[in-house]
Amino acid sequence: MPATTARQRTAPRPNGRRHPAPAAAAAADEDATAAPPLTAVTAGREPLQLLTPDGKPVPHPHLTPERDPAALRRMYRDMVLTRAFDAEATALQRQGELGLWTPLAGQEAAQIGSAHALRPDDFVFPSYREHGVAWCRGVDPVSLVSIFRGVTHGGWDPAAHNFHLYTLVVGAHPLHATGYAMGVARDGADSAVIAYFGDGASSQGDVAEAFTFAAVNQAPVVFFCQNNQWAISVPAERQSRVPLYQRAQGYGFPGVRVDGNDVLAVQAVTRAALERARSGRGPVLIEAFTYRMGAHTTSDDPTRYRMQAELAEWQAKDPVQRLRRHLERLDAADAAFFTATEEDGRELARSVRTAVRTMPDPEPSVMFEHIHAAGHRQVDAERAWFAAYQDGFAPEEDEDR
Amino acid sequence: MTATATAATTATATTATAPAAPAGELTLAAALNAALRRSLEDDPKVLVMGEDVGTLGGVFRITDGLQKDFGETRVFDTPLAESGIVGTAIGLAMRGYRPVVEIQFDGFVFPAFDQIVTQLAKMRFRSHGTVTLPVVIRIPYGGGIGAVEHHSESPEAYFAHTGGLKVLSPATPADAYGMLRQAIAGPDPVIFFEPKRRYWDKGPVDLDAPPASPYQARVVRPGTDLTLAAYGPMVAVCLAAAQAAAEEGRSLEVIDLRSLSPLDTGTVAESVVRTGRLVVAHEAPSFFGPGAELASAVQESCFYSLQAPVLRVGGFHAPYPPARVEHEYLPGLDRVLDAVDRALAH
Ligand SMILES: Cc1ncc(C[n+]2csc(CCOP(=O)(O)OP(=O)(O)O)c2C)c(N)n1
Ligand SMILES: [Mg+2]
């Protein structure tokens, strides 16, 4: 029984962990000895907050925000850089260099905060907008944009980053995350798995099945739902009559609604959830309450279905500005840092731009590669036919030029 | 994923209020919109449902303006769950409604595959004809628009392979209009494949013409040397091939199959008896594809008329590739002409 394996790990943890147990997780764990863990932080519909929109700390009885100035600066830098290459990718699409882009603008805190709660050995299953998480896992932004340029369907080796490929079929991958977590438990490892998906995806049958499998197996998986209020043109209220975090209750695991534009709250809650998963106490659903500031994709026109006022309201809660104000308040960063970070963002955007503009098209023969581990009669025959067909053309085409 | 690069430039369909002029030119997208509109007007039981079909009018704007004019009870956004969409459409149909379901892209029909194959297709048979499910599932399909993964597929063979379903695909605005209306009015479930890269092609549409049966193939260009059979997005490619061949003195007959199930093998056989040669073209993979079915039927009925083996031009037995190489994957003009040359060489 995987559940048993997992539970056995509750007691002493192996030494040699790569990261010390974060303070927030410790708080939740202590809480767990008496009552079910995380219940103390799953307060209610009001998203859990550790930082007000103007960067003031909000005390919490069980969660401790990240306080190390260097760590805070690293998070800020990741948010700024992510925003910079996201904006650049949108621009590149406008210039015809990309076929499509899925902007993450507005969701930086949800992504960077949760990514900063992860250990390197944890495994991430993203959907298609997790550019900030990808960045924190060391995935080259150029690999991300290459998907949207139509150069590849993949772009990186998932094992090299413990970050799976983007999944474009809405809601398919939380099941993969759950199965992966079941494997982690069988191995007796203390890694955790996290699956990112949206408010719209929460309606998919596969996501409901992931919840069921994760719960009955007590799998070490955290379901991280970025409720950005919209699934293309459909508002979140059309996906659920109850706040999404409450769904977890029916499956028998905790759900938390966190302010998704508050990077400190997201980080602390995700840490607590990951620690809970690691210690064999099963899944957690985190609903990061946030907002998609841009279009669904570069093909989308949000003015057709939502009010400008809504955007303005969320702009006032901008996640990057919030952390900046907090850093200023703490005196944890000076003007030189902010200027240098902005410049790093511009530099990253420049390098992505150059790489995209000079990115070669793949050889057509890639169509026939990596379909099967070894040969396949029909694929091999078609590959050979195609090569001969192309060879037949080449001289004539050259003459034409 | 979603709305593709091209969707942004989608021509707005017929304006919500003004009915399109009879016998006017419409894009294929506008013709579909007009068909939905007319069907909603004609029968109060017709419903339009799917992801983003309401306020947005669909990512391709096929349902543009319909919610505004027919209300949220008849034209509505569903939760993001294809199995749920088709499953509830089945229930609505059992209750006497005629749901017209939109699946946002070809690659996203699969969460609903179970409902389609095990329930929608089999209900009439299971119920000895007592349960009728007039459900139409509209699916924008096919490649060539530079989209990301799952947005360019041609999965029609899965459905044509399933007993109990009808499978249609129009190639022109006029057929888009007429065939969709017929599909909605008919008693059986129909999987209606819309050639998305032809959404912006224009053609004459007579909104009041008596609808022709969608289940018959049609000769769209007569010829004597070889028969080219296609459907959906490939009909235009085959017409262009016939034009190019004509310039070299070869006369190709082009047939638009229109329906894959039922498949009008008779019209094709009648043509092949005259021309002696057949090339079948589709974007779907050739392997176990619709062309194989047609080739088999034709060699059975036209064996002594055939002067060359029946050849197929189609996609490869491979996942649809990234957009930057899709034009090598898709059977284009050159690949069709290559097959024509090989058939004529016999
Ligand atoms: C199975 C499936 N159905 C439909 C789509 C088309 N589609 C892509 S994204 C999207 C909305 C997703 O909304 P949500 O889950 O809230 O994520 P968000 O895009 O807001 O990040 C839709 C309908 C898809 N990619 N996959
Ligand atoms: Mg969303």
Side-chain angles (χ1 to χ4, degrees):
Chain A
M1 283 291 292
T4 319
T5 327
R7 266 187 215 108
Q8 282 164 351
R9 293 191 280 104
T10 318
R13 302 230 180 79
N15 291 325
R17 305 179 48 173
R18 293 192 217 187
H19 296 287
D29 280 356
E30 278 158 26
D31 179 54
T33 54
L38 272 171
T39 43
V41 293
T42 59
R45 285 172 182 241
E46 264 320 294
L48 192 150
Q49 215 178 53
L50 297 179
L51 217 50
T52 63
D54 51 1
K56 282 195 206 108
V58 180
H60 190 278
H62 301 282
L63 293 177
T64 318
E66 179 65 66
R67 289 200 175 109
D68 172 26
L72 291 173
R73 284 196 299 271
R74 277 196 298 275
M75 282 205 276
Y76 178 78
R77 187 171 184 277
D78 284 343
M79 289 170 79
V80 169
L81 266 57
T82 299
R83 181 169 282 191
F85 82 73
D86 181 63
E88 181 59 33
T90 298
L92 285 166
Q93 193 281 334
R94 298 286 179 239
Q95 295 156 21
E97 296 286 348
L98 305 182
L100 187 80
W101 182 247
T102 50
L104 82 342
Q107 300 177 215
E108 292 88 351
Q111 296 194 11
I112 307 300
S114 55
H116 275 248
L118 294 167
R119 295 193 329 211
D121 60 307
D122 293 337
F123 205 99
V124 181
F125 286 82
S127 43
Y128 43 79
R129 205 190 291 285
E130 275 65 68
H131 318 314
V133 187
W135 167 256
C136 293
R137 301 303 280 182
V139 175
D140 186 345
V142 175
S143 307
L144 296 176
V145 295
S146 70
I147 301 169
F148 296 90
R149 189 176 164 86
V151 165
T152 173
H153 290 329
W156 58 89
D157 172 6
H161 304 278
N162 276 9
F163 184 84
H164 188 52
L165 302 176
Y166 277 2
T167 298
L168 273 48
V169 177
V170 166
H173 58 286
L175 277 168
H176 311 159
T178 302
Y180 193 97
M182 289 160 62
V184 168
R186 277 172 171 68
D187 292 345
D190 83 332
S191 309
V193 181
I194 189 165
Y196 290 85
F197 56 92
D199 44 293
S202 74
S203 292
Q204 283 287 11
D206 275 6
V207 174
E209 292 177 25
F211 289 177
T212 300
F213 275 68
V216 300
N217 288 290
Q218 289 293 82
V221 57
V222 173
F223 296 110
F224 194 93
C225 177
Q226 288 170 87
N227 179 354
N228 62 6
Q229 313 304 325
W230 293 94
I232 311 186
S233 71
V234 181
E237 307 82 72
R238 284 207 66 93
Q239 311 287 349
S240 181
R241 293 278 291 181
V242 299
L244 287 173
Y245 77 94
Q246 287 182 5
R247 291 252 178 100
Q249 200 186 355
Y251 291 88
F253 55 87
V256 195
R257 177 178 269 190
V258 63
D259 182 337
N261 287 17
D262 172 352
V263 70
L264 297 191
V266 171
Q267 184 194 31
V269 165
T270 311
R271 273 180 176 164
L274 289 165
E275 281 310 311
R276 184 178 195 279
R278 280 184 218 302
S279 62
R281 281 170 292 152
V284 177
L285 169 63
I286 298 173
E287 177 191 4
F289 206 71
T290 180
Y291 192 69
R292 192 195 81 209
M293 299 232 255
H296 169 69
T297 68
T298 45
S299 296
D300 176 41
D301 174 11
T303 63
R304 285 181 69 101
Y305 53 80
R306 69 184 191 188
M307 297 296 175
Q308 190 60 32
E310 186 184 283
L311 179 61
E313 185 191 314
W314 280 91
Q315 268 161 346
K317 302 186 226 175
D318 185 275
V320 184
Q321 283 312 313
R322 189 181 306 199
L323 181 56
R324 182 183 175 128
R325 289 184 194 120
H326 183 61
L327 285 168
E328 286 168 348
R329 203 176 282 277
L330 293 182
D331 230 349
D334 56 14
F337 166 77
F338 291 117
T339 314
T341 306
E342 296 297 327
E343 183 44 39
D344 288 351
R346 278 191 292 274
E347 180 50 39
L348 176 62
R350 266 194 298 275
S351 72
V352 169
R353 182 160 65 238
T354 309
V356 167
R357 288 195 173 144
T358 54
M359 191 182 288
D361 281 352
E363 284 300 317
S365 59
V366 299
M367 289 191 291
F368 301 106
E369 284 160 23
H370 305 301
I371 300 171
H372 303 273
H376 178 289
R377 276 187 198 88
Q378 275 73 35
V379 176
D380 296 344
E382 287 184 348
R383 181 198 285 117
W385 179 87
F386 181 74
Y389 173 76
Q390 279 208 311
D391 287 349
F393 265 106
E396 213 185 12
E397 264 192 355
D398 288 347
E399 278 164 31
D400 286 348
R401 276 183 203 138
Chain B
M1 203 77 354
T2 180
T4 62
T6 33
T9 61
T10 306
T12 307
T14 44
T15 45
T17 41
E25 290 256 319
L26 290 182
T27 62
L28 197 147
L32 291 166
N33 180 271
L36 292 170
R37 175 172 293 282
R38 178 65 71 89
S39 302
L40 284 157
E41 279 163 5
D42 286 355
D43 184 348
K45 293 295 188 186
V46 170
L47 306 174
V48 171
M49 58 194 280
E51 295 157 11
D52 304 286
V53 299
T55 324
L56 186 63
V59 296
F60 289 107
R61 310 289 184 262
I62 305 300
T63 59
D64 192 34
L66 298 180
Q67 184 176 70
K68 187 167 142 281
D69 292 353
F70 296 93
E72 288 184 31
T73 312
R74 297 193 61 201
V75 179
F76 54 97
D77 286 333
T78 63
L80 207 177
E82 288 77 8
S83 182
I85 296 171
V86 174
T88 54
I90 290 171
L92 282 160
M94 289 179 66
R95 186 67 196 178
Y97 287 90
R98 289 184 175 269
V100 185
V101 162
E102 175 171 303
I103 298 292
Q104 204 159 78
F105 280 89
D106 34 62
F108 306 138
V109 68
F110 300 110
F113 200 58
D114 171 52
Q115 286 290 344
I116 295 173
V117 173
T118 69
Q119 305 304 317
L120 186 61
K122 296 181 169 68
M123 202 73 89
R124 178 181 297 282
F125 187 70
R126 183 183 301 143
S127 69
H128 295 255
T130 57
V131 179
T132 285
L133 297 180
V135 175
V136 175
I137 301 180
R138 298 180 33 243
I139 309 178
Y141 83 119
I145 62 163
V148 289
E149 198 184 5
H150 316 296
H151 292 68
S152 304
E153 298 180 3
S154 298
E156 58 271 25
Y158 297 122
F159 301 93
H161 193 66
T162 300
L165 299 176
K166 293 193 163 79
V167 180
L168 298 178
S169 183
T172 63
D175 261 354
Y177 178 75
M179 289 167 68
L180 183 55
R181 280 189 66 199
Q182 291 282 90
I184 296 170
D188 284 321
V190 175
I191 315 295
F192 194 86
F193 282 101
E194 302 174 358
K196 69 169 92 77
R197 68 168 150 139
R198 306 285 174 219
Y199 270 154
W200 306 282
D201 288 5
K202 279 193 168 178
V205 182
D206 180 351
L207 297 179
D208 298 312
S213 168
Y215 301 114
Q216 265 159 19
R218 185 187 288 144
V219 175
V220 289
R221 178 182 169 120
T224 53
D225 298 340
L226 179 146
T227 304
L228 257 180
Y231 55 90
M234 284 300 291
V235 173
V237 175
C238 288
L239 284 169
Q243 187 57 41
E247 284 153 23
E248 293 169 8
R250 284 150 168 193
S251 166
L252 310 189
E253 177 149 306
V254 180
I255 294 182
D256 178 357
L257 293 170
R258 301 171 79 237
S259 172
L260 291 180
S261 177
L263 183 63
D264 181 4
T265 53
T267 297
V268 180
E270 188 279 327
S271 169
V272 171
V273 166
R274 283 186 285 103
T275 63
R277 292 176 173 86
L278 175 65
V279 171
V280 195
H282 46 64
E283 289 186 20
S286 294
F287 193 62
F288 279 83
E293 183 57 41
L294 194 62
S296 166
V298 164
Q299 70 82 21
E300 245 177 87
S301 61
C302 307
F303 187 71
Y304 293 104
S305 308
L306 282 170
Q307 294 166 44
V310 179
L311 296 182
R312 291 172 292 157
V313 189
F316 297 113
H317 191 38
Y320 196 89
R324 290 271 162 169
V325 294
E326 71 176 329
H327 289 289
E328 308 289 346
Y329 175 94
L330 287 172
L333 185 64
D334 288 331
R335 288 246 300 273
V336 172
L337 287 172
D338 171 71
V340 166
D341 286 348
R342 282 185 283 134
L344 286 170
H346 278 271

